[in-house]
Amino acid sequence: MTASSVEQLRKEGNELFKCGDYGGALAAYTQALGLDATPQDQAVLHRNRAACHLKLEDYDKAETEASKAIEKDGGDVKALYRRSQALEKLGRLDQAVLDLQRCVSLEPKNKVFQEALRNIGGQIQEKVRYMSSTDAKVEQMFQILLDPEEKGTEKKQKASQNLVVLAREDAGAEKIFRSNGVQLLQRLLDMGETDLMLAALRTLVGICSEHQSRTVATLSILGTRRVVSILGVESQAVSLAACHLLQVMFDALKEGVKKGFRGKEGAIIVDPARELKVLISNLLDLLTEVGVSGQGRDNALTLLIKAVPRKSLKDPNNSLTLWVIDQGLKKILEVGGSLQDPPGELAVTANSRMSASILLSKLFDDLKCDAERENFHRLCENYIKSWFEGQGLAGKLRAIQTVSCLLQGPCDAGNRALELSGVMESVIALCASEQEEEQLVAVEALIHAAGKAKRASFITANGVSLLKDLYKCSEKDSIRIRALVGLCKLGSAGGTDFSMKQFAEGSTLKLAKQCRKWLCNDQIDAGTRRWAVEGLAYLTFDADVKEEFVEDAAALKALFQLSRLEERSVLFAVASALVNCTNSYDYEEPDPKMVELAKYAKQHVPEQHPKLPPPPGQAKLRAGSGEEAAGSGCGVGHGVHGEDGEPCADQFLQRAALQALIPLALEGTDVGQTKAAQALAKLTITSNPEMTFPGERIYEVVRPLVSLLHLNCSGLQNFEALMALTNLAGISERLRQKILKEKAVPMIEGYMFEEHEMIRRAATECMCNLAMSKEVQDLFEAQGNDRLKLLVLYSGEDDELLQRAAAGGLAMLTSMRPTLCSRIPQVTTHWLEILQALLLSSNQELQHRGAVVVLNMVEASREIASTLMESEMMEILSVLAKGDHSPVTRAAAACLDKAVEYGLIQPNQDGE
């Protein structure tokens, strides 16, 4: 039986391969390998899998599969030839020629092997000529660059450019490396000239890119400390180039070699984890080094953000994060607690504290258990206490600034720090200081501290009058606007809950009016105007505020102009204000029974503002600001309809969605494509896609949505893409074919196994709609897969929404492909219980889906109908058939009629 199954699957794979279905053939060979195949069969299957990977242009896997076949059978000439093809494509010609020589020795008269050997020999000779001619070029370029008499000449500039270009090719990078290039580049770095340093750093990027051993050798020659120290130079361009080099080194140490031409790879055996820790340790030391530029400190923080936390929480190993917390948390907090103005010992920029907050937040989120989080809290609190106690006023300011940093990052740690004895009282007291620097620190801490309603209530009782006095009486714009933002945040502490307003009616409108006035004042510096956006980001929770704001074209224009600033913190405030104005935040309708229960228990029940429409509500944005929004890419709302049924959405929404988002999603940068695709997903979910994307536009949306299904996207992006594709798949067969053409089905199937219940449910719903296509039906009907089993099992899950999606797909498939009905009893022994549970459900939709599945099974086969009628199913159907004239009743009656027709049951005397 096993040998027959292996042979059958192999033949099936061969047929699929001949038809050009390489993915299907690969799946068949893989399934055959999972059976009890003989070593000879395994060699053939691995060899065939190598052929599939060659056709799919996955040459690394092709080499691996061919090598496995050769391990099983060293004389397998086909496997040797396929491995040589893969090695040639990977650029490893020296290894490819060895395999071809073995092929020719095994089959000397084979003209294909002889021709391939001649071709590859020519390639090797060409490469040797190139390498030999490059030797002289590399030597000449370094002579020009290191010649003191050539300083600043055009000849030296051209030589540096040529060196960088040469290093971008792996063969060129290897040649530079073998020609003592790293030592010569070190001399260029030591010369201290900006142009030469940039050329040296960019050449080193080429040498280290995706090459682990060259990276380790480079760090050994230059010294890790020396490379990291370049981050701290005053030249912004040199610091950014050093940041890029270090990022490449991190990637090389983590991922190893990916390129084909390996050169010295394998000559140096290293422990990547050790090298990573050495690099990270030096970056942490750089954070607190005196004399390092603010830009360099920011770049070091950026590298730590990218390199330390796990890429996926599914990875169980967070040891690097724990090590960084133990070794460097105090150093990160020291940057977060440093003052930009007046300058302290550590030079920082406007972005330094935000970068430190992000790093702290990433580290905290990467912790796995309460013990690890408690250690994080303890270290933070001990650091704050060390400054707060016994260090005088300067120490208190440093401690409060550190608390502000924590509140902007891991807010749980910040809130615990606020509860330390005397901290909040000192914040309130310093707000009344006559020194501007002290007031700035205190007021900003007050703003960040008012994040939770209970703390906002404390500040409302103790600090509102103080903030009002600061706003009215201070002569410094920097203090006044921060005090205003503090009042704004307190005024919006209840969020969208209309019953939780902290201030009297009309007060928030006055605050918003003043914020808009500051925002539109071009005479004020942009850094100060940013705080006005912060204030509006809080106040626009209020329906009255957002109504006035969206009518103010000048304020909207100023908002979009300000979003173009290099300061990253302003973008979040701009986005928050736009989200609030368009009511794009998540809203969950409370269960009426729970509301009644809460009222009975005298618990607080949130109330929506009477002016807000039913969620999700949308606000109008005037066409006058539409061009600014489209230009800056800062936000997109979605259309709504007025009382007369006509669309209220104006040209801003149309331009942003149709003229900006789709091109950006298809041709923008990686980040731009992802953000634009996510915006398209939201539009597709919350509106009628056929109206939002008229004509052929709707087909252009599919590819950006499918791009959000890749594993490098977040869970939220995956979920929104699945929801949007579900909507599109339900519109027309042409759209379903477009989704299939973009190869989305395997990814959707993968998400059907996702642990997160909402993603799993969305993927199942999407597959249910796609099941209307013949190609998807063929996948379910194909032998040797568990697709049908998964739908049957999901139909018995406790999650009612997942049940509904799976049962809907099952009803669709059994209607379109009756042959699947006979396979349902084979996929699980619990099939009968699952169908009975569907029919007994209190949910009418689940009942109907279950009844349709049972009806399809009864009509498909007398044998299946007999099995069903011999169980309790007949009694359930009899009860359902006596109900009102609903779809469930009709389906149940049809089942019984078919059973009578088969002669399995007899009608009673009443003909029922």
Side-chain angles (χ1 to χ4, degrees):
M1 286 289 290
T2 304
S4 175
S5 300
V6 171
E7 181 65 19
Q8 182 181 352
L9 285 168
R10 186 178 67 79
K11 289 181 178 179
E12 181 184 333
N14 292 345
E15 290 299 321
L16 291 169
F17 187 90
K18 290 176 184 177
C19 296
D21 184 2
Y22 307 120
L26 188 62
Y29 298 141
T30 304
Q31 190 177 354
L33 276 172
L35 302 176
D36 191 14
T38 64
Q40 185 177 359
D41 287 335
Q42 289 178 13
V44 173
L45 291 167
H46 282 301
R47 182 180 74 200
N48 291 355
R49 279 168 56 84
C52 293
H53 285 306
L54 283 171
K55 291 292 186 181
L56 295 170
E57 298 181 0
D58 193 342
Y59 303 118
D60 283 315
K61 289 183 179 177
E63 181 208 354
T64 302
E65 290 296 330
S67 297
K68 289 179 180 177
I70 295 166
E71 287 175 12
K72 301 290 182 184
D73 182 1
D76 192 334
V77 71
K78 288 185 179 180
L80 284 166
Y81 181 61
R82 285 170 188 168
R83 187 168 73 174
S84 74
Q85 288 178 300
L87 291 168
E88 181 183 358
K89 291 292 186 180
L90 291 169
R92 288 149 60 186
L93 303 180
D94 53 339
Q95 297 176 39
V97 77
L98 294 175
D99 282 344
L100 279 174
Q101 287 171 347
R102 285 185 64 189
C103 290
V104 172
S105 67
L106 291 170
E107 294 187 11
K109 296 182 180 180
N110 192 312
K111 294 183 179 180
V112 174
F113 297 159
Q114 293 171 1
E115 183 64 25
L117 188 58
R118 277 196 296 271
N119 289 338
I120 207 166
Q123 292 181 51
I124 291 174
Q125 289 176 5
E126 182 63 30
K127 194 166 191 177
V128 169
R129 282 196 297 270
Y130 170 77
M131 296 291 282
S132 60
S133 66
T134 306
D135 283 341
K137 292 179 182 177
V138 171
E139 185 178 352
Q140 184 182 15
M141 283 186 277
F142 275 116
Q143 283 178 352
I144 294 170
L145 291 171
L146 294 170
D147 187 352
E149 296 181 3
E150 294 284 354
K151 186 174 182 180
T153 65
E154 184 179 344
K155 195 174 180 181
K156 181 173 275 192
Q157 185 179 7
K158 188 174 182 180
S160 65
Q161 291 172 351
N162 289 340
L163 193 65
V164 173
V165 171
L166 181 64
R168 288 174 184 165
E169 295 292 332
D170 201 62
E174 181 68 15
K175 177 55 63 179
I176 296 171
F177 180 78
R178 287 176 178 271
S179 304
N180 293 323
V182 177
Q183 290 89 337
L184 296 172
L185 290 169
Q186 184 177 24
R187 290 174 59 186
L188 290 180
L189 290 172
D190 292 339
M191 292 174 76
E193 296 180 29
T194 299
D195 291 341
L196 293 180
M197 291 182 75
L198 288 173
L201 290 168
R202 289 165 183 167
T203 305
L204 286 168
V205 166
I207 291 173
C208 298
S209 183
E210 297 180 344
H211 205 295
Q212 192 177 65
S213 65
R214 285 203 301 248
T215 298
V216 174
T218 300
L219 286 171
S220 176
I221 295 168
L222 297 179
T224 304
R225 184 65 189 158
R226 172 77 176 98
V227 177
V228 172
S229 67
I230 301 173
L231 276 177
V233 300
E234 290 296 331
S235 171
Q236 186 173 349
V238 172
S239 180
L240 285 172
C243 182
H244 185 205
L245 172 60
L246 287 165
Q247 183 62 59
V248 166
M249 287 179 162
F250 273 121
D251 293 340
L253 291 173
K254 284 186 172 183
E255 304 297 334
V257 178
K258 291 182 179 177
K259 292 185 177 178
F261 187 76
R262 301 192 176 196
K264 279 190 163 185
E265 185 58 32
I268 301 173
I269 300 174
V270 297
D271 177 11
R274 178 185 170 279
E275 296 297 325
L276 280 171
K277 283 188 175 180
V278 172
L279 260 181
I280 291 171
S281 177
N282 279 278
L283 284 174
L284 290 170
D285 290 341
L286 186 79
L287 292 179
T288 54
E289 248 183 55
V290 178
V292 172
S293 67
Q295 177 73 28
R297 227 177 293 279
D298 289 354
N299 287 334
L301 289 167
T302 301
L303 285 167
L304 290 168
I305 290 168
K306 292 179 179 178
V308 177
R310 292 172 289 171
K311 298 297 182 185
S312 170
L313 294 179
K314 293 180 181 178
D315 179 4
N317 184 12
N318 69 337
S319 59
L320 191 58
T321 294
L322 297 177
W323 181 82
V324 168
I325 289 172
D326 288 337
Q327 301 296 319
L329 183 61
K330 292 181 180 178
K331 296 173 182 177
I332 301 168
L333 290 172
E334 192 167 342
V335 177
S338 297
L339 300 175
Q340 183 186 5
D341 192 23
E345 286 187 355
L346 302 183
V348 292
T349 69
N351 292 321
S352 297
R353 190 172 67 187
M354 181 58 71
S355 297
S357 296
I358 293 170
L359 176 56
L360 290 167
S361 182
K362 293 274 188 182
L363 294 174
F364 187 78
D365 291 342
D366 205 36
L367 301 178
K368 296 191 295 186
C369 61
D370 289 341
E372 292 174 359
R373 284 184 279 272
E374 190 59 38
N375 178 59
F376 186 95
H377 289 310
R378 179 180 56 78
L379 290 173
C380 290
E381 289 167 10
N382 289 343
Y383 178 82
I384 292 167
K385 286 178 182 177
S386 69
W387 281 103
F388 194 79
E389 299 170 357
Q391 296 286 341
L393 182 57
K396 283 185 169 58
L397 287 173
R398 189 65 176 264
I400 292 170
Q401 186 81 338
T402 306
V403 172
S404 290
C405 178
L406 287 169
L407 286 166
Q408 289 178 281
C411 56
D412 288 343
N415 286 325
R416 279 189 49 164
L418 277 175
E419 294 169 2
L420 293 174
S421 177
V423 172
M424 183 60 82
E425 290 77 7
S426 296
V427 171
I428 296 292
L430 285 171
C431 284
S433 171
E434 295 181 359
Q435 298 297 319
E436 182 182 0
E437 297 80 11
E438 297 170 7
Q439 282 186 314
L440 284 173
V441 172
V443 173
E444 286 189 25
L446 204 59
I447 293 169
H448 300 310
K452 290 190 176 181
K454 67 174 186 178
R455 187 157 283 108
S457 300
F458 168 82
I459 300 171
T460 303
N462 295 275
V464 170
S465 59
L466 182 58
L467 288 172
K468 286 182 178 178
D469 290 341
L470 287 171
Y471 171 65
K472 293 177 182 178
C473 304
S474 178
E475 297 179 358
K476 301 287 185 181
D477 287 344
S478 57
I479 298 295
R480 292 188 64 210
I481 197 163
R482 284 168 172 78
L484 177 62
V485 173
L487 292 170
C488 292
K489 192 166 186 179
L490 293 173
S492 64
T496 57
D497 186 357
F498 183 62
S499 63
M500 288 286 288
K501 297 302 174 187
Q502 302 284 347
F503 295 160
E505 187 71 27
S507 297
T508 52
L509 284 172
K510 293 178 182 178
L511 292 172
K513 185 177 180 181
Q514 187 60 43
C515 282
R516 298 204 309 274
K517 182 179 177 182
W518 283 81
L519 178 61
C520 296
N521 190 345
D522 294 333
Q523 304 302 315
I524 303 173
D525 67 277
T528 303
R529 288 167 64 204
R530 175 183 71 83
W531 286 96
V533 185
E534 291 273 356
L536 288 169
Y538 297 123
L539 292 178
T540 45
F541 278 118
D542 187 283
D544 296 317
V545 172
K546 70 180 73 177
E547 189 176 72
E548 285 192 2
F549 182 46
V550 296
E551 299 291 339
D552 190 338
L556 284 172
K557 185 175 181 180
L559 180 77
F560 294 126
Q561 288 176 340
L562 203 61
S563 68
R564 296 192 180 95
L565 289 178
E566 292 183 3
E567 193 172 341
R568 289 171 292 178
S569 56
V570 73
L571 294 176
F572 183 74
V574 170
S576 298
L578 289 172
V579 165
N580 293 342
C581 286
T582 55
N583 292 341
S584 298
Y585 40 75
D586 294 333
Y587 180 85
E588 185 176 347
E589 190 70 33
D591 185 342
K593 293 181 180 179
M594 295 302 295
V595 172
E596 291 300 320
L597 184 62
K599 289 179 179 178
Y600 178 77
K602 297 183 179 180
Q603 297 294 312
H604 174 69
V605 179
E607 297 176 14
Q608 193 175 1
H609 196 289
K611 286 190 177 182
L612 282 176
Q618 292 85 14
K620 293 185 292 181
L621 289 173
R622 294 293 182 185
S625 60
E627 294 177 4
E628 293 292 334
S632 62
C634 283
V636 178
H638 19 93
V640 294
H641 295 272
E643 295 177 1
D644 57 354
E646 291 297 317
C648 295
D650 52 25
Q651 295 176 3
F652 165 71
L653 300 177
Q654 295 300 326
R655 287 198 197 106
L658 302 182
Q659 295 181 8
L661 287 179
I662 292 178
L664 180 60
L666 294 173
E667 301 171 2
T669 62
D670 290 344
V671 175
Q673 286 181 338
T674 301
K675 295 295 184 185
Q678 192 173 8
L680 289 171
K682 291 179 184 295
L683 286 169
T684 310
I685 295 167
T686 57
S687 63
N688 183 346
E690 293 177 285
M691 295 183 65
T692 306
F693 310 105
E696 295 297 310
R697 285 283 189 182
I698 194 168
Y699 301 101
E700 297 178 32
V701 177
V702 174
R703 181 171 295 175
L705 295 180
V706 173
S707 71
L708 292 178
L709 295 179
H710 293 295
L711 295 177
N712 58 342
C713 294
S714 66
L716 175 61
Q717 290 165 346
N718 298 153
F719 173 71
E720 290 176 340
L722 289 166
M723 292 286 288
L725 288 170
T726 301
N727 287 355
L728 294 181
I731 292 175
S732 69
E733 179 60 23
R734 187 180 169 193
L735 271 169
R736 289 191 287 275
Q737 289 298 321
K738 178 67 175 173
I739 294 171
L740 293 173
K741 187 178 179 181
E742 294 295 337
K743 300 180 181 179
V745 171
M747 291 184 280
I748 295 169
E749 285 185 323
Y751 287 115
M752 290 176 70
F753 294 92
E754 178 66 37
E755 292 182 8
H756 196 290
E757 60 181 19
M758 294 180 70
I759 296 177
R760 185 170 66 243
R761 183 194 308 151
T764 307
E765 288 173 349
C766 190
M767 187 59 70
C768 175
N769 281 359
L770 287 173
M772 289 185 277
S773 290
K774 175 182 177 299
E775 290 80 0
V776 177
Q777 294 164 19
D778 290 342
L779 290 174
F780 276 89
E781 201 170 24
Q783 294 294 327
N785 69 79
D786 291 330
R787 296 183 178 94
L788 184 65
K789 179 179 180 179
L790 186 64
L791 281 186
V792 174
L793 293 176
Y794 278 177
S795 298
E797 284 286 311
D798 293 333
D799 183 346
E800 197 171 271
L801 294 175
L802 179 61
Q803 262 189 302
R804 187 175 66 183
L810 210 54
M812 175 74 66
L813 288 165
T814 51
S815 297
M816 305 296 289
R817 297 293 174 98
T819 54
L820 291 174
C821 296
S822 60
R823 288 172 53 185
I824 290 178
Q826 301 171 13
V827 297
T828 174
T829 56
H830 301 291
W831 68 278
L832 202 53
E833 300 169 24
I834 291 170
L835 292 177
Q836 289 173 356
L838 287 174
L839 291 175
L840 293 171
S841 172
S842 58
N843 186 309
Q844 288 287 325
E845 291 188 49
L846 284 177
Q847 267 194 329
H848 184 217
R849 284 163 165 76
V852 171
V853 175
V854 173
L855 176 58
N856 293 336
M857 294 178 70
V858 169
E859 291 180 340
S861 163
R862 185 181 187 280
E863 184 182 352
I864 298 175
S866 175
T867 304
L868 288 167
M869 294 305 150
E870 289 172 1
S871 69
E872 297 176 358
M873 185 68 74
M874 190 184 76
E875 296 177 18
I876 296 171
L877 291 171
S878 299
V879 172
L880 292 176
K882 295 177 182 178
D884 53 7
H885 295 289
S886 66
V888 176
T889 302
R890 290 194 292 272
C895 290
L896 295 174
D897 290 343
K898 193 66 179 178
V900 171
E901 183 183 328
Y902 285 143
L904 298 173
I905 60 175
Q906 296 292 329
N908 58 26
Q909 294 179 353
D910 298 330
E912 297 182 353

